Amino acid sequence: MTKRLIKRVNPDVVVIEEAIASGGGGAQSRIQLAMGDRAAVMIICDQMGFKVREYAVPSIRKHFIGHGRLRRDVAKARTIARCRSLGWNVKNDNEADACAVWEFARAKLTGMASMPKGLFDARSEELQSKRG
Protein backbone atom coordinates (compact mmCIF):
# COMPACT_ATOMS: atom_id res chain seq x y z
CA MET A 1 0.00 0.00 0.00
CA THR A 2 2.76 2.48 0.91
CA LYS A 3 4.55 1.89 -2.38
CA ARG A 4 1.36 2.31 -4.44
CA LEU A 5 0.47 5.50 -2.58
CA ILE A 6 3.94 6.99 -3.06
CA LYS A 7 3.86 6.13 -6.78
CA ARG A 8 0.42 7.70 -7.18
CA VAL A 9 1.14 10.90 -5.22
CA ASN A 10 4.85 11.32 -6.06
CA PRO A 11 5.64 13.50 -3.03
CA ASP A 12 8.70 15.68 -2.59
CA VAL A 13 9.23 14.16 0.84
CA VAL A 14 7.53 11.60 3.07
CA VAL A 15 6.88 12.75 6.62
CA ILE A 16 6.10 10.53 9.61
CA GLU A 17 5.66 10.97 13.33
CA GLU A 18 8.39 9.59 15.55
CA ALA A 19 7.21 6.33 17.08
CA ILE A 20 5.89 6.70 20.61
CA ALA A 21 4.05 4.48 23.05
CA SER A 22 2.59 5.73 26.26
CA GLY A 23 0.31 4.44 28.90
CA GLY A 24 0.02 1.20 30.74
CA GLY A 25 -0.69 -2.25 29.38
CA GLY A 26 0.53 -3.09 25.93
CA ALA A 27 2.95 -0.20 25.61
CA GLN A 28 5.80 -2.50 24.60
CA SER A 29 3.82 -4.17 21.84
CA ARG A 30 2.57 -0.77 20.58
CA ILE A 31 6.10 0.58 20.33
CA GLN A 32 7.24 -2.56 18.50
CA LEU A 33 4.37 -2.21 16.01
CA ALA A 34 5.09 1.50 15.54
CA MET A 35 8.79 0.84 14.98
CA GLY A 36 7.96 -1.92 12.47
CA ASP A 37 5.61 0.39 10.54
CA ARG A 38 8.25 3.11 10.63
CA ALA A 39 10.93 0.75 9.33
CA ALA A 40 8.70 -0.49 6.50
CA VAL A 41 7.91 3.06 5.34
CA MET A 42 11.57 4.09 5.56
CA ILE A 43 12.77 1.04 3.60
CA ILE A 44 10.23 1.59 0.82
CA CYS A 45 11.09 5.30 0.63
CA ASP A 46 14.80 4.51 0.49
CA GLN A 47 14.27 1.95 -2.29
CA MET A 48 12.20 4.47 -4.26
CA GLY A 49 14.65 7.36 -3.66
CA PHE A 50 12.38 9.51 -1.49
CA LYS A 51 13.52 11.54 1.50
CA VAL A 52 11.90 10.79 4.85
CA ARG A 53 11.54 13.26 7.69
CA GLU A 54 10.49 12.29 11.19
CA TYR A 55 9.06 14.74 13.68
CA ALA A 56 8.25 14.37 17.36
CA VAL A 57 4.56 14.40 18.30
CA PRO A 58 5.02 17.09 21.01
CA SER A 59 6.65 19.40 18.42
CA ILE A 60 3.81 18.83 15.96
CA ARG A 61 1.19 19.49 18.63
CA LYS A 62 2.98 22.60 19.89
CA HIS A 63 2.97 24.02 16.38
CA PHE A 64 -0.56 23.00 15.47
CA ILE A 65 -2.55 23.46 18.69
CA GLY A 66 -0.18 25.58 20.74
CA HIS A 67 0.69 22.97 23.37
CA GLY A 68 2.90 19.91 23.11
CA ARG A 69 2.24 18.26 26.45
CA LEU A 70 -1.48 17.64 26.72
CA ARG A 71 -3.24 14.42 27.64
CA ARG A 72 -3.84 12.32 24.54
CA ASP A 73 -7.64 12.73 24.55
CA VAL A 74 -7.42 16.50 25.00
CA ALA A 75 -4.78 16.85 22.28
CA LYS A 76 -6.83 14.74 19.85
CA ALA A 77 -9.98 16.82 20.46
CA ARG A 78 -8.07 20.09 20.01
CA THR A 79 -6.42 18.81 16.84
CA ILE A 80 -9.80 17.91 15.34
CA ALA A 81 -11.20 21.31 16.36
CA ARG A 82 -8.22 23.15 14.85
CA CYS A 83 -8.58 21.26 11.56
CA ARG A 84 -12.25 22.09 11.39
CA SER A 85 -11.56 25.76 12.18
CA LEU A 86 -9.28 25.77 9.13
CA GLY A 87 -12.09 24.34 7.01
CA TRP A 88 -10.55 20.87 6.82
CA ASN A 89 -13.41 18.41 7.08
CA VAL A 90 -11.68 15.65 9.05
CA LYS A 91 -13.75 12.64 10.04
CA ASN A 92 -11.67 11.39 12.97
CA ASP A 93 -8.52 11.92 15.01
CA ASN A 94 -6.37 9.92 12.59
CA GLU A 95 -7.23 12.28 9.74
CA ALA A 96 -6.74 15.27 12.04
CA ASP A 97 -3.32 13.99 13.13
CA ALA A 98 -2.32 13.51 9.48
CA CYS A 99 -3.35 17.10 8.72
CA ALA A 100 -1.37 18.36 11.72
CA VAL A 101 1.72 16.46 10.56
CA TRP A 102 1.28 17.85 7.05
CA GLU A 103 0.92 21.42 8.33
CA PHE A 104 3.95 21.09 10.63
CA ALA A 105 6.09 19.61 7.84
CA ARG A 106 4.95 22.30 5.40
CA ALA A 107 5.99 24.99 7.86
CA LYS A 108 9.31 23.31 8.71
CA LEU A 109 10.34 22.42 5.17
CA THR A 110 9.28 25.65 3.48
CA GLY A 111 10.04 28.03 6.34
CA MET A 112 6.51 29.40 6.05
CA ALA A 113 4.76 30.03 9.35
CA SER A 114 1.13 29.11 9.52
CA MET A 115 -1.46 31.78 10.11
CA PRO A 116 -4.48 30.72 12.14
CA LYS A 117 -7.81 31.21 10.43
CA GLY A 118 -9.76 34.01 12.00
CA LEU A 119 -6.72 36.08 12.87
CA PHE A 120 -8.03 38.91 10.71
CA ASP A 121 -11.73 38.19 10.99
CA ALA A 122 -14.41 40.84 11.43
CA ARG A 123 -14.12 40.85 15.24
CA SER A 124 -10.35 41.48 15.07
CA GLU A 125 -10.83 44.30 12.56
CA GLU A 126 -13.52 45.81 14.78
CA LEU A 127 -11.20 45.78 17.78
CA GLN A 128 -8.36 47.26 15.76
CA SER A 129 -10.56 50.10 14.44
CA LYS A 130 -11.62 51.02 17.99
CA ARG A 131 -7.96 51.33 19.00
CA GLY A 132 -6.95 53.33 15.94
Side-chain angles (χ1 to χ4, degrees):
M1 181 176 145
T2 301
K3 197 173 204 174
R4 283 192 311 263
L5 182 60
I6 291 171
K7 279 183 179 181
R8 188 179 80 209
V9 176
N10 194 29
D12 295 321
V13 64
V14 175
V15 179
I16 59 175
E17 294 177 341
E18 287 182 352
I20 60 168
S22 60
Q28 184 60 36
S29 60
R30 284 194 309 274
I31 192 69
Q32 289 174 352
L33 179 62
M35 292 302 285
D37 291 345
R38 172 189 173 275
V41 168
M42 292 183 95
I43 288 167
I44 289 168
C45 288
D46 183 63
Q47 289 173 345
M48 295 177 75
F50 286 95
K51 294 180 234 171
V52 178
R53 297 290 183 267
E54 274 186 293
Y55 297 113
V57 171
S59 297
I60 296 165
R61 287 180 179 167
K62 174 97 170 118
H63 169 81
F64 197 69
I65 59 174
H67 200 300
R69 300 280 180 204
L70 295 172
R71 276 191 353 251
R72 182 182 188 276
D73 58 332
V74 173
K76 297 279 186 180
R78 287 191 186 177
T79 300
I80 290 170
R82 171 88 162 112
C83 286
R84 290 182 178 157
S85 77
L86 292 168
W88 302 345
N89 187 24
V90 296
K91 296 179 189 101
N92 55 51
D93 63 357
N94 289 324
E95 289 182 7
D97 285 347
C99 288
V101 171
W102 176 86
E103 166 54 23
F104 180 77
R106 184 204 58 79
K108 286 289 269 187
L109 297 172
T110 65
M112 296 170 54
S114 63
M115 183 172 67
K117 186 174 181 176
L119 184 62
F120 300 109
D121 64 9
R123 178 79 176 129
S124 295
E125 289 173 330
E126 179 184 315
L127 292 172
Q128 288 174 353
S129 68
K130 286 181 181 178
R131 291 182 192 152

